Amino acid sequence: MKGILLLSHGELAQGLMNSVSFFFGNDIEQLKALTLKKDDDASKFGERIKEAVEEINTGDGVVIFVDLFGGTPCNQSAYVLDEGIEIVTGLNLPLLMECLVMRTQDDFNVDELVSRGKESISNYGSLLRQKRDERRKRRAKREE
């Protein structure tokens, strides 16, 4: 099973780890979060990333999620990029939950995971307005 490492500026990574515990329980195997604080040294943060990857990699690799493309967590994670290590930007709760489910499958595919993550983003207000308008049209049609 792939390990999952969450990296963020500030407490986002830890907060998401806490949030998934609502759905998956408190003892999620091979899941770790590291947060970069304003006064942290980038290279020392990189060392923490390397240690975390070694800790949670049981041989199946690690998916590293970072909050922001091009930020320090993203850039420092590049130093551990190797066979079996994947780096995904745009860390969010639906993407993390999808990964927790998918990583148990033999045919786990990070590109598919990213595709599903993109599908989880929507303009909910627009969807609700569209449904409301459809109901109004059906109601008007019945009244004719």
Side-chain angles (χ1 to χ4, degrees):
M1 180 168 65
K2 284 203 179 279
I4 299 173
L5 178 60
L6 313 177
L7 306 176
S8 69
H9 297 84
E11 299 298 321
L12 176 66
Q14 187 61 50
L16 288 172
M17 200 163 127
N18 293 340
S19 292
V20 295
S21 71
F22 275 69
F23 305 96
F24 294 90
N26 291 323
D27 298 319
I28 303 171
E29 293 181 43
Q30 295 173 259
L31 174 65
K32 189 167 182 72
L34 296 179
T35 59
L36 177 71
K37 297 183 177 38
K38 286 183 180 182
D39 57 347
D40 282 348
D41 177 81
S43 62
K44 288 183 181 173
F45 188 70
E47 291 171 20
R48 291 174 49 210
I49 293 170
K50 182 180 178 188
E51 291 169 5
V53 166
E54 290 171 359
E55 178 185 332
I56 62 175
N57 189 355
T58 59
D60 293 325
V62 175
V63 179
I64 301 173
F65 289 100
V66 297
D67 58 352
L68 184 64
F69 179 85
T72 300
C74 181
N75 295 340
Q76 289 298 312
S77 68
Y79 292 109
V80 298
L81 184 62
D82 200 357
E83 191 68 33
I85 307 296
E86 300 283 354
I87 303 169
V88 177
T89 63
L91 172 60
N92 63 61
L93 185 58
L95 183 65
L96 175 56
M97 290 176 63
E98 189 70 38
C99 185
L100 285 166
V101 171
M102 289 178 67
R103 74 176 176 159
T104 61
Q105 301 168 358
D106 290 334
D107 60 345
F108 178 80
N109 182 300
V110 172
D111 290 327
E112 182 181 339
L113 171 68
V114 169
S115 178
R116 289 184 186 184
K118 289 176 183 178
E119 291 171 5
S120 73
I121 298 171
S122 65
N123 181 341
Y124 188 57
S126 178
L127 292 172
L128 290 175
R129 284 188 285 280
Q130 181 181 0
K131 293 291 183 186
R132 178 195 62 205
D133 293 344
E134 289 171 4
R135 282 193 308 270
R136 286 180 180 167
K137 286 178 184 176
R138 284 193 305 267
R139 204 174 307 132
K141 198 173 193 177
R142 283 191 306 250
E143 290 174 0
E144 290 177 358

